[in-house]
Amino acid sequence: AFGRDELDALVSEAHIHGKKVACHAYGGAGLRASIEAGVDTIEHGSYLDEDPDLLNIMAGEGTFFVPTFTVFIFHGKMGTPQAQAMSRDFRQHHIESMQKALAAGVKVVAGTDAGGWVHGNNAQELQCLVEAGMTPMQALVAATGWAAECCGLEKEIGTVQRGKAADLLVVDGDPLEDITVLQDKSRIKLVMKEGK
């Protein structure tokens, strides 16, 4: 949708004003141009596996990768016939993109693309990340510390540290053994937001 000059201007202006730039892209020339222009996050990035040198650029520049697997579960089941076919066609590419990104040192973040279409079940994305090859601990970091950093909020939230907001979740179970425990509302025993 944008030429390289426009992308350079968008990224430059956003960064001058202390704002981050998120780029919605699957692959191809637009994805390359956006990464080369210095966007801060790639949302979807389903075909990054076909352009592995982009992953090295992302790792070097600190560009985050937000694969948003959950939204494609929705599209695969409830989308238009074209969206259903697209979701099936790039599924393996999407998984390989995430695996190659991690191997290259790119921070992969849990994000759902407008709530994952099932508001209140963002934890499904963690299950998707684990099914795609992350360890449960990597998925938890992807949803907390790295997600906070991706949003520029790492000084306030994302990890349990003195001086940060006490945002905690207590569950009956061990998400390191079964990441899906985070989706079972009956097993959520305490939600603490800023210490309350």
Side-chain angles (χ1 to χ4, degrees):
F2 298 102
R4 181 58 192 269
D5 289 346
E6 293 170 302
L7 285 169
D8 288 339
L10 287 164
V11 171
S12 175
E13 284 298 309
H15 289 172
I16 285 170
H17 296 285
K19 304 295 182 188
K20 292 188 176 259
V21 180
C23 174
H24 162 101
Y26 299 110
L31 179 66
R32 174 172 287 282
S34 299
I35 290 170
E36 290 175 348
V39 300
D40 299 288
T41 74
I42 295 297
E43 317 297 312
H44 310 312
S46 309
Y47 292 103
L48 276 167
D49 67 317
E50 293 184 338
D51 230 339
D53 65 308
L54 292 179
L55 295 170
N56 294 327
I57 296 170
M58 290 173 70
E61 295 294 321
T63 309
F64 292 88
F65 177 32
V66 188
T68 67
F69 287 108
T70 308
V71 73
F72 297 110
I73 292 173
F74 170 84
H75 284 305
K77 293 177 182 172
M78 307 288 292
T80 64
Q82 296 85 357
Q84 289 180 25
M86 184 181 77
S87 295
R88 284 189 305 271
D89 290 346
F90 69 61
R91 173 106 177 111
Q92 193 56 40
H93 285 283
H94 210 170
I95 291 168
E96 289 178 22
S97 293
M98 189 210 76
Q99 292 171 350
K100 288 181 177 182
L102 281 176
V106 174
K107 290 181 179 176
V108 177
V109 174
T112 58
D113 195 38
W117 307 94
V118 180
H119 291 286
N121 194 23
N122 295 354
Q124 183 182 19
E125 185 70 12
L126 279 73
Q127 177 184 348
C128 293
L129 292 171
V130 170
E131 289 172 352
M134 274 191 175
T135 67
M137 181 56 85
Q138 286 174 314
L140 290 170
V141 171
T144 55
W146 284 359
E149 187 181 345
C150 180
C151 294
L153 298 172
E154 68 275 11
K155 292 180 181 173
E156 294 103 41
I157 62 172
T159 56
V160 180
Q161 290 178 274
R162 181 183 299 275
K164 291 189 177 185
D167 294 344
L168 303 169
L169 178 68
V170 178
V171 296
D172 178 14
D174 184 354
L176 296 178
E177 293 295 322
D178 177 12
I179 199 74
T180 65
V181 70
L182 299 173
Q183 295 177 60
D184 185 347
K185 290 180 174 68
S186 71
R187 297 179 75 177
I188 296 174
K189 300 303 176 187
L190 173 70
V191 177
M192 183 182 292
K193 176 69 176 154
E194 297 178 352
K196 297 180 183 172

